[in-house]
Amino acid sequence: MSMPYYVSPEQVMKDRAEYAQKGIARGRALIGVVYDHGILLVAENPSRTLHKISEIYDRIGFAGVGKYNEFDQLRVAGIRHADTKGYSYSRDDVDARSLANVYAQYLGQVFTQEMKPLEVEILVAEIGATADLNRLYHIAYDGTVTDEQSYTILGGDAELLAQRAESIYRSGWTLPEALAGSLFVLAGADRTLGVDDLEVGVLDLKYGRRAFHRLEADELSALLANATPTA
Amino acid sequence: MSLFLFPPGQDPGPNFADLLARADHSREIGSSNALAEVPHGTTIATLRFAGGVVMAGDRRATEGNIIAHRSIEKVFPADRYSVVGIAGAAGPAVEMVRLFQTQLEHYEKVEGCTLSLEGKANQLSQMVRTHLPMAMQGLVVVPLFAGWDDRREIGRIFTYDITGGRYEEAEFATTGSGGRDARTTIKLGYREGLSREEAISLAVEALYQAADEDSATGGPDPIRGIYPIVTVVGAQGYERLENETVGAYFQEILTRRAELYRGSERT
């Protein structure tokens, strides 16, 4: 007769967390930064078509790192959540906090109950009518939500990148400054990232009702030319 | 609310209306009672010009022989490059537009690219068809759809019937109770390759003539400052003219016509 073997819950959680972290660390990092007129999202992404950054709703943007199919599924679910909510109530009733909560619940549930946790980290960013209403919700693979005020880093070697960010970030950055800062954080001093390596989106109220705007190659080159190295 | 995640075979993809059906949102709109009492529309006119399309619509809603609203809007941006105008029962019509707008935006966000203009026109066709049972009960909704086709680089116009039949118009189209008068006016002034100004002017003239003949169509209202909605869609996207600008076009017509009558006075 075979003995059913026992694994402690602590061990199970630890294994799952390690598995998810490994998966996420394989991909490139992504950063979300608040600048003077909005929120900048910058990802290292060589693909032009498989996006890591996208629009969820009028004032809400989404960014994900890790396994593409998994965060893309979450992205679509987020758009569905926002559109159904805006359709049945009002466009003003769609907010990032409620979306971050449903994401967190789902990720937490998968992490504890499914065989395999989702290998993703996601960011729900919302631009407010005033700067103090800007929101950055960082949601980890296990459903942990953190609410950041100025910047947040997803994936890759997040600790090292966070140190770099801390060393240079200051509030009130203009868009070119924020972009230069983000590139320094993502690439460090030894690497340089060009237009082709980047995917960049902004949330800025100057674009009207739908504040999300993807910066295309020409806009991005123009911005990079303006950006002065900060480090 | 929980996240809308579906198993592969049942996923609605970028289709918002299908998502609503699966998410069990009720799409029942309006009521079958007191059909004659619901506000009705009106006159919408649309025509092509060299750089796109113009669509204009009056602001009046009527309940029987009563003016229910003086400033309702019947011409809406469907998305950045298209415009939809509605005639018929106001409640379900506005609801249909709202669903249509959400549908187009939903598709764009989920898929990361916009539908082709023809794709949008077909979507609207499906919505009109879904509405058929309500139409049979008297709540008819007949939209007009127009927009800029960025693949062919031309403005295009689509008309519908209550069964969802979709027809492309080469020059111009009108709908609503004053549609016939508007149509005649445009027909007389239309030629291929009108300029933007000429097209706007013709659309405004058409609405003026429709309001002159049809009691359910509102004319310019300088006292309250309410003028019909005039929109233009071209390569630059959707644009709604300012109230004052539309007012100026009407003022020109009024001045011209006033002179005409003065000239015919006999002493």
Side-chain angles (χ1 to χ4, degrees):
Chain A
M1 190 179 117
S2 67
M3 289 282 287
Y5 56 90
Y6 172 78
V7 187
S8 75
E10 274 163 317
Q11 190 59 42
V12 174
M13 291 303 149
K14 230 174 109 186
D15 288 351
R16 283 189 185 160
E18 206 172 282
Y19 177 85
Q21 281 161 1
K22 261 191 199 161
I24 294 163
R26 270 197 289 273
R28 302 294 174 89
L30 183 152
I31 181 169
V33 191
V34 175
Y35 66 95
D36 57 356
H37 290 113
I39 299 171
L40 171 71
L41 305 168
V42 185
E44 232 184 290
N45 184 1
S47 169
R48 294 290 106 219
T49 48
L50 303 177
H51 297 308
K52 290 183 175 182
I53 294 170
S54 48
E55 175 187 15
I56 293 273
Y57 209 65
D58 294 352
R59 292 179 171 195
I60 305 175
F62 174 93
V65 296
K67 248 186 139 185
Y68 175 78
N69 67 326
E70 293 182 350
F71 69 72
D72 196 59
Q73 191 194 19
L74 291 176
R75 175 186 72 88
V76 172
I79 294 170
R80 287 176 179 161
H81 175 85
D83 276 347
T84 38
K85 202 171 169 190
Y87 180 71
S88 37
Y89 302 110
S90 140
R91 298 199 82 89
D92 297 339
D93 296 313
V94 180
D95 63 333
R97 191 187 49 80
S98 121
L99 181 61
N101 279 335
V102 287
Y103 275 141
Q105 276 170 24
Y106 179 70
L107 283 165
Q109 190 193 338
V110 171
F111 183 75
T112 49
Q113 289 172 15
E114 306 281 324
M115 259 298 285
K116 182 191 107 53
L118 294 175
E119 297 158 71
V120 294
E121 253 181 82
I122 57 176
L123 168 65
V124 179
E126 178 181 45
I127 180 167
T130 55
D132 59 324
L133 294 173
N134 288 341
R135 298 277 181 266
L136 292 172
Y137 292 105
H138 179 163
I139 304 144
Y141 56 86
D142 61 351
T144 316
V145 191
T146 43
D147 171 12
E148 302 284 352
Q149 293 304 314
S150 42
Y151 61 85
T152 186
I153 292 153
L154 280 73
D157 195 352
E159 265 176 48
L160 172 70
L161 268 58
Q163 279 170 18
R164 283 190 204 142
E166 206 182 344
S167 69
I168 59 161
Y169 180 81
R170 62 177 178 77
S171 65
W173 264 350
T174 62
L175 180 56
E177 282 171 342
L179 183 62
S182 304
L183 294 190
F184 171 75
V185 172
L186 291 177
D190 346 316
R191 285 197 307 150
T192 44
L193 293 171
V195 172
D196 294 338
D197 311 314
L198 294 171
E199 184 187 350
V200 182
V202 292
L203 288 165
D204 192 326
L205 294 180
K206 79 171 179 191
Y207 294 108
R209 174 171 71 77
R210 289 168 73 180
F212 180 84
H213 177 70
R214 191 181 294 286
L215 294 180
E216 302 300 343
D218 48 339
E219 283 175 276
L220 195 53
S221 330
L223 261 184
L224 283 173
N226 277 332
T228 44
T230 41
Chain B
M1 271 195 218
S2 57
L3 280 182
F4 296 118
L5 294 165
F6 302 89
Q10 290 154 32
D11 197 296
N15 190 337
F16 185 73
D18 200 14
L19 170 67
L20 283 187
R22 279 168 208 275
D24 201 27
H25 272 253
S26 172
R27 287 178 55 209
E28 289 299 311
I29 36 184
S31 97
S32 55
N33 299 326
L35 286 187
E37 301 303 320
V38 298
H40 272 69
T42 311
T43 303
I44 313 282
T46 179
L47 67 149
R48 287 180 59 202
F49 67 98
V53 286
V54 171
M55 188 183 284
D58 79 304
R59 307 287 292 272
R60 178 175 293 176
T62 53
E63 285 171 17
N65 61 345
I66 305 287
I67 295 176
H69 298 283
R70 292 175 202 281
S71 62
I72 75 156
E73 305 194 347
K74 306 166 198 167
V75 178
F76 305 86
D79 66 356
R80 286 187 193 122
Y81 290 96
S82 60
V83 58
V84 55
I86 44 160
V94 170
E95 191 58 27
M96 185 183 288
V97 168
R98 215 160 71 86
L99 182 63
F100 184 52
Q101 288 169 326
T102 312
Q103 171 83 310
L104 297 187
E105 192 184 313
H106 189 73
Y107 181 94
E108 185 185 333
K109 289 189 291 195
V110 171
E111 291 292 308
C113 59
T114 51
L115 270 171
S116 65
L117 190 69
E118 204 153 319
K120 293 173 199 170
N122 286 340
Q123 278 291 313
L124 187 56
S125 168
Q126 283 170 27
M127 283 179 193
V128 177
R129 192 175 311 129
T130 313
H131 186 74
L132 186 60
M134 300 279 280
M136 297 306 279
Q137 290 179 50
L139 295 175
V140 174
V141 175
V142 188
L144 263 184
F145 180 66
W148 178 252
D149 187 331
D150 61 348
R151 296 166 207 209
R152 291 176 180 76
E153 308 218 310
I154 48 166
R156 296 172 76 184
I157 293 170
F158 298 90
T159 59
Y160 297 86
D161 62 26
I162 60 163
T163 64
R166 191 211 79 183
Y167 315 95
E168 181 163 4
E169 300 290 333
E171 299 175 330
F172 54 85
T174 61
T175 185
S177 52
R180 222 177 56 165
D181 300 298
R183 189 177 177 80
T184 310
T185 312
I186 295 183
K187 198 164 152 188
L188 291 173
Y190 188 86
R191 60 181 164 77
E192 200 57 39
L194 286 171
S195 75
R196 186 188 132 106
E197 292 307 303
E198 288 166 335
I200 293 172
S201 192
L202 192 52
V204 168
E205 174 91 42
L207 283 187
Y208 176 83
Q209 297 299 348
D212 207 29
E213 298 296 330
D214 175 36
S215 63
T217 297
D221 187 346
I223 294 165
R224 296 186 184 83
I226 300 169
Y227 294 99
I229 294 174
V230 181
T231 63
V232 182
V233 186
Q236 305 302 313
Y238 169 91
E239 183 203 348
R240 177 175 163 176
L241 299 196
E242 296 288 333
N243 210 27
E244 294 76 44
T245 317
V246 180
Y249 277 100
F250 272 106
Q251 196 50 53
E252 197 208 309
I253 293 176
L254 291 177
T255 315
R256 182 154 37 85
R257 294 198 67 82
E259 266 168 28
L260 216 66
Y261 282 108
R262 209 171 305 134
S264 69
E265 248 174 20
R266 299 202 176 130
T267 46

